[in-house]
């Protein structure tokens, strides 16, 4: 049985205590997307501002949730800010792979399967995000960890469609 | 076992699942409001049907089928006796309480509700007593009105007459699954009756824990689930006044609910068959019947007394051990509530709390408890909910308090 320290690494608690990029962005120009975890009631709001060249100029996170969902969102915001949308999608795919989400695995809402089809650039580094790997040992918490990422992906899809 | 006190140690011996340990710790099960555990007597009764008397009911003429039918119908009689129903035929077996409420909303609602009508709900309803009405409102176009909830977790009945004015239905919970609030059922049904509205009572949290008499409740319909009262999942009950059930169209169509079917149409069977289309949950009904008998042997007055005492102990212990760090939703008076405790720390999320509690082998439920409008009212998106039943004692509550202290300290922000 995995212990609490496998789940709650210090860096996770640090991001929970001091979330990066917390707040709101003006919409427009930023795009606002909400995500829900219907099981536990967690809500996340991702504000993402992309420019015409397809770069994530700014990102802010709102909403409330547990330490896993909040720290994952915080680390995500730090990881994708300043990157291109394409890189951000790659990081998302790499992170979901870290969470062991494959086409036949949990979720299966289509968007995840699609994301998983992406060829992930071997140069993509997850860095701090790898601290969340312990979540895999607590299957009910995987949805907490992926909530922000699914919401970000949805935001990118909505921006593409607009 | 005496009639007014509960011997928890003896009861626990009837529940094999509670004897297990988790990482060498005694399993502390405090999630009965979500689903309760099963005594050996229920498991034996179900197993006995499978081993000795299983066949489809109301169909075969062979002895096995007759025994199965008789076991199924005896369960209906036991449930009727348990809730004080004037007739066993008023007890309809459903999949769960959710289906029971959907049955009323759809079958009664389609026949009786129209645009411009109003249905009154309370803000402390479980989604099972909200969404079925919202679905029908979307289809039919009636108005949904809400009875508000006070800061102390009670229904705000100050404008009840106004809300009921012109309403056709008052649907409410007998006891909140989040706040533990015990609602004044008889006052509400009387007010509705005076206003000409029918009443639908979600009794999921009350029937397992209180003496129940549907006639005294004064309701037209009462819904509850088997799996929260020591029975199996997959079986629920809708009790309705025969006059109402008789006048209603069927809900689901299929085998078992008809008298005759021709190319041109069908004629529906009498109640309860009319509302039990298809092969019913036969063994589950028998399990529920056995659960009812188990509770009757203990005595529901004794069950309630035990839970009021344990509730008082829980509130006192949590206050002593955690003070202002812990928020407990709901009424502050133990006798005004059932054994359901929605807990929240200002800075530790319910999901994280229950993760730490799991390390201590303490099973509770984090989340919104299928009552999002109520959670919004209290400006929370999740609480950690502990709930007690006949097999819980003060040791369980002490373990809960220890684990909550550990959770607070682990996340000391």
């Amino acid at each position: 049985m995995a212990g609490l320290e496998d789940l709650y690494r210090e860096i996770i608690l640090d991001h929970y205590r001091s979330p990066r990029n917390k707040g709101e962005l003006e919409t427009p120009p930023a795009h606002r997307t909400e995500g829900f975890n219907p099981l536990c009631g967690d809500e996340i709001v991702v504000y993402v501002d992309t420019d015409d060249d397809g770069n994530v100029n700014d990102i802010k996170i709102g909403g409330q949730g547990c330490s896993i969902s909040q720290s994952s969102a915080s680390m995500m915001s730090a990881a994708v800010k300043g990157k291109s949308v394409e890189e951000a999608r790659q990081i998302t795919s790499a992170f979901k792979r870290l969470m062991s989400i494959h086409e036949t695995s949990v979720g299966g809402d289509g968007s995840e399967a699609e994301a998983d089809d992406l060829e992930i650039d071997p140069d993509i580094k997850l860095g701090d995000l790898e601290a969340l790997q312990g979540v895999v040992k607590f299957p009910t918490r995987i949805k907490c960890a992926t909530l922000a990422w699914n919401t970000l992906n949805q935001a990118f899809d909505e921006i593409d469609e607009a | 076992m005496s009639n007014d006190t509960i011997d928890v140690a003896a009861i626990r011996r009837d529940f094999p699942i509670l004897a297990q340990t988790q990482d060498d710790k005694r399993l502390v099960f405090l999630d009965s409001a979500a689903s309760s555990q099963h005594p050996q007597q229920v498991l034996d009764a179900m197993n006995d049907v499978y081993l000795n008397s299983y066949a489809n009911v109301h169909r075969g003429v062979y002895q096995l089928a007759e025994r199965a039918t008789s076991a199924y119908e005896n369960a209906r009689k036991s449930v009727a006796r348990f809730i004080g129903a004037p007739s066993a035929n008023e007890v309809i077996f459903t999949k769960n309480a959710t289906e029971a409420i959907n049955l009323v909303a759809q079958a009664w609602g389609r026949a009786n509700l129209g645009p411009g009508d109003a249905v009154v709900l309370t803000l402390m309803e479980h989604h099972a007593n909200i969404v079925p009405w919202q679905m029908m409102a979307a289809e039919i176009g009636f108005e949904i009105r809400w009875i508000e909830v006070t800061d102390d977790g009670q229904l705000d009945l100050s404008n009840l007459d106004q809300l009921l004015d012109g309403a056709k239905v008052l649907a409410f919970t007998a006891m909140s699954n989040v706040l533990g609030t015990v609602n004044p059922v008889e006052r509400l049904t009387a007010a509705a009756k005076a206003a000409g509205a029918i009443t639908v009572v979600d009794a999921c949290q009350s029937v397992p824990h209180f003496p129940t008499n549907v006639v005294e409740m004064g309701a037209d319909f009462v819904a509850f689930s088997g799996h929260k009262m020591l029975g199996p999942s997959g079986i629920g009950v809708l009790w309705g006044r025969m006059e109402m059930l008789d006048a209603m169209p069927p809900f689901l169509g299929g085998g078992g609910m008809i008298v005759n079917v021709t190319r041109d149409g069908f004629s529906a069977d009498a109640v309860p068959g009319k509302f039990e289309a298809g092969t019913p949950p036969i063994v589950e009904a028998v399990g529920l019947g056995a659960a009812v008998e188990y509770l009757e042997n203990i005595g529901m007055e004794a069950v309630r007394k035990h839970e009021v005492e344990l509730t008082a102990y829980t509130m006192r212990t949590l206050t002593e051990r955690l003070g202002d760090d812990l928020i407990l939703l709901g009424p502050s008076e133990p006798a005004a509530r059932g054994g359901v405790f929605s807990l929240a720390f200002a800075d530790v999320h319910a999901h994280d709390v229950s993760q730490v509690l799991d390390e201590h082998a303490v099973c509770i439920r984090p989340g919104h408890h299928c009552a999002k409008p109520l959670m919004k009212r209290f400006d929370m998106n999740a609480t950690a909910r502990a709930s007690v039943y006949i097999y819980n004692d003060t040791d369980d509550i002490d373990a809960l308090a220890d684990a909550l202290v550990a959770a607070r300290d682990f996340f000391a922000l």
Side-chain angles (χ1 to χ4, degrees), chain B residues 181-205:
Chain B
T181 314
V182 177
N183 284 326
V185 173
E186 290 167 37
R187 180 179 168 194
L188 288 162
T189 56
K193 200 169 185 179
I198 68 149
T199 43
V200 183
V201 180
D202 171 0
C204 277
Q205 299 293 341

Side-chain angles (χ1 to χ4, degrees), chain B residues 250 253-254 257-269 274:
Chain B
M257 52 73 73
I258 52 91
V259 173
N260 191 27
V261 182
T262 66
R263 294 179 187 223
D264 301 322
F266 73 95
S267 48
D269 192 6
K274 177 164 85 173

Side-chain angles (χ1 to χ4, degrees), chain B residues 289-306:
Chain B
V292 157
E293 282 162 22
Y294 186 88
L295 287 169
E296 284 175 329
N297 281 336
I298 296 171
M300 293 308 292
E301 296 283 356
V303 169
R304 175 62 183 150
K305 182 166 172 278
H306 168 71

